[in-house]
Amino acid sequence: MTALKQTPLNASHRALGAKMVDFGGWDMPVNYGSQIDEHHQVRNDCGMFDVSHMRVVDVRGDGVRAFLRYLLANNVDKLALPGKALYSAMLNEQGGVIDDLIVYFMRESWFRIVVNAGTADNDIEWMKQQASQHAPQLDITDHPELAMIAVQGTNARAKVWEALPGSRELSAHLIPFSAVEMGSMFIARTGYTGEDGFEIMLPAKAAPFFWSTLAEKGVKPIGLGARDTLRLEAGMNLYGHDMNESISPLEAGMAWTVDLKSPRDFIGKAALLAHPPTRKLVGLVLLDRGVMRDHQKVQTAHGAGEITSGSFSPTLQKSIALARVPNAVTIGDTVQVEIRDKLLNASVVKYPFARNGKSLL
């Protein structure tokens, strides 16, 4: 049996009494007590997450932009200002999603990419394989020596500025989806909760001290459980649930991240054009009592569908879900979800469900 991988904050989580679970081969905190309280803490104030299992990959050299133009479905030509970030899918030749990621433009010879933990090794291998064929001059280096802490919520930025002297002057001007370097740290105004805040990359050896400093300023630790309900309320995809290597981004609610308008070619483009989507991702709110979960079947007037992510929403006090359904299903339709051998009614809604502490429905 393979030992679980640990982030540099593992001892910190255990000292706080976190409930630890196996998350894709990593020993991670699912909660530190009440998952519901942690969820509300982020929506109403702020909290901090250990996301050090995510992988930071730097692509450097002449021609990085041209290579990423071909590698990614979104168009890095949108990145003109240093520090600006872009959300994109990285596709295979069949148009399936290898991973969803964030790419930061730092300078013409350096782009930084943050990839998901569970797909990191495959992602890096794919990038290097493509570079060997199309841009052998590039250097692709991942940074396991970096930790990552996300501070999210209405008061997140103010708390980080308190905990990190000098950070306010550098990061106060950052617009959402942009980043700045601060010595050996990298501060990005990004997140996975639908709230404002920062994701901060820093040397692993400095992570426990920064974590405890944030705690001293009143920032509460938040586990993976609340992270999942927060991202679901915000209508954000989870890799392996809402999309994977067999699912087109056009059927995963990610059409806005796929640039099919510019003449450039990219991996998977031909497949996307040859196979227009027949399904789409929609939001569901359960009208009956129960909780929607992943993989439950959805019956619609236009054919079958399936829930890709489902849970109880602490903000809405109802069960919500993302579901892949036939294209003909529209907002306002009532569909049936199979829950414990019963057909329960759910309303089709536009997601996100909640952001900035409030319901959007």
Side-chain angles (χ1 to χ4, degrees), residues 319-335:
S319 179
I320 61 172
L322 297 175
R324 190 166 292 110
V325 297
N327 275 347
V329 173
T330 58
I331 303 299
D333 284 358
T334 298
V335 299

Side-chain angles (χ1 to χ4, degrees), residues 9-268:
L9 292 167
N10 191 275
S12 304
H13 302 316
R14 293 184 174 279
L16 289 165
K19 180 184 178 184
M20 306 296 285
V21 296
D22 178 350
F23 182 75
W26 289 83
D27 190 34
M28 297 295 287
V30 68
N31 60 58
Y32 301 83
S34 165
Q35 180 178 319
I36 299 278
D37 288 350
E38 290 174 22
H39 180 105
H40 290 312
Q41 175 68 29
V42 175
R43 284 273 181 259
N44 300 320
D45 182 1
C46 71
M48 58 183 176
F49 304 77
D50 178 11
V51 286
S52 304
H53 56 316
M54 307 277 281
R55 198 82 67 85
V56 179
V57 183
D58 285 333
V59 188
R60 297 178 185 262
D62 293 335
V64 183
R65 186 183 291 273
F67 172 63
L68 294 179
R69 239 187 239 127
Y70 176 68
L71 184 75
L72 304 179
N74 211 340
N75 193 346
V76 292
D77 286 345
K78 296 173 185 175
L79 301 177
L81 296 173
K84 195 72 184 78
L86 186 71
Y87 175 66
S88 181
M90 181 166 66
L91 308 181
N92 56 28
E93 297 287 1
Q94 295 75 42
V97 182
I98 293 174
D99 198 10
D100 65 324
L101 49 81
I102 296 179
V103 55
Y104 299 90
F105 164 56
M106 301 312 293
R107 48 183 175 266
E108 282 304 325
S109 60
W110 173 31
F111 284 70
R112 170 162 282 187
I113 299 174
V114 178
V115 299
N116 282 306
T119 55
D121 291 340
N122 286 343
D123 290 355
I124 294 162
E125 188 180 330
W126 176 259
M127 289 178 195
K128 289 183 173 177
Q129 181 187 328
Q130 296 304 319
S132 69
Q133 296 172 33
H134 303 283
Q137 77 281 7
L138 296 181
D139 177 68
I140 298 175
T141 306
D142 69 310
H143 294 283
E145 77 283 0
L146 289 178
M148 198 182 322
I149 295 172
V151 188
Q152 302 280 293
T154 311
N155 300 319
R157 294 199 304 149
K159 292 293 187 182
V160 169
W161 293 333
E162 272 187 60
L164 194 57
S167 61
R168 183 175 194 136
E169 293 78 3
L170 273 174
S171 64
H173 71 282
L174 285 181
I175 60 171
F177 254 66
S178 59
V180 66
E181 288 182 277
M182 180 179 169
S184 60
M185 303 176 85
F186 187 91
I187 303 173
R189 195 173 173 189
T190 51
Y192 192 49
T193 62
E195 301 297 328
D196 200 359
F198 291 130
E199 291 180 309
I200 299 158
M201 301 163 213
L202 70 166
K205 60 179 182 288
F209 177 75
F210 183 49
W211 183 264
S212 64
T213 304
L214 286 165
E216 286 167 15
K217 301 300 180 185
V219 183
K220 298 277 200 304
I222 311 294
L224 290 173
R227 187 170 185 247
D228 192 53
T229 52
L230 287 160
R231 71 91 194 167
L232 178 56
E233 287 185 351
M236 294 176 169
N237 283 15
L238 176 62
Y239 191 84
H241 290 248
D242 307 299
M243 75 292 202
N244 56 43
E245 289 206 31
S246 67
I247 300 292
S248 152
L250 305 181
E251 294 192 336
M254 297 172 67
W256 63 278
T257 73
V258 179
D259 169 37
L260 291 170
K261 292 178 182 170
S262 69
R264 76 185 172 105
D265 191 21
F266 61 83
I267 299 169

Side-chain angles (χ1 to χ4, degrees), residues 259-327:
D259 169 37
L260 291 170
K261 292 178 182 170
S262 69
R264 76 185 172 105
D265 191 21
F266 61 83
I267 299 169
K269 182 178 183 178
L272 294 184
L273 293 173
H275 305 286
T278 59
R279 302 171 298 169
K280 63 184 179 183
L281 207 64
V282 298
L284 298 181
V285 174
L286 195 63
L287 301 174
D288 297 323
R289 286 177 64 86
V291 179
M292 295 183 285
R293 299 289 184 195
D294 310 7
H295 306 303
Q296 288 170 346
K297 299 301 178 203
V298 179
Q299 293 189 10
T300 83
H302 308 283
E306 183 180 21
I307 288 176
T308 58
S309 287
S311 189
F312 176 78
S313 162
T315 303
L316 276 63
Q317 290 292 300
K318 296 174 182 175
S319 179
I320 61 172
L322 297 175
R324 190 166 292 110
V325 297
N327 275 347

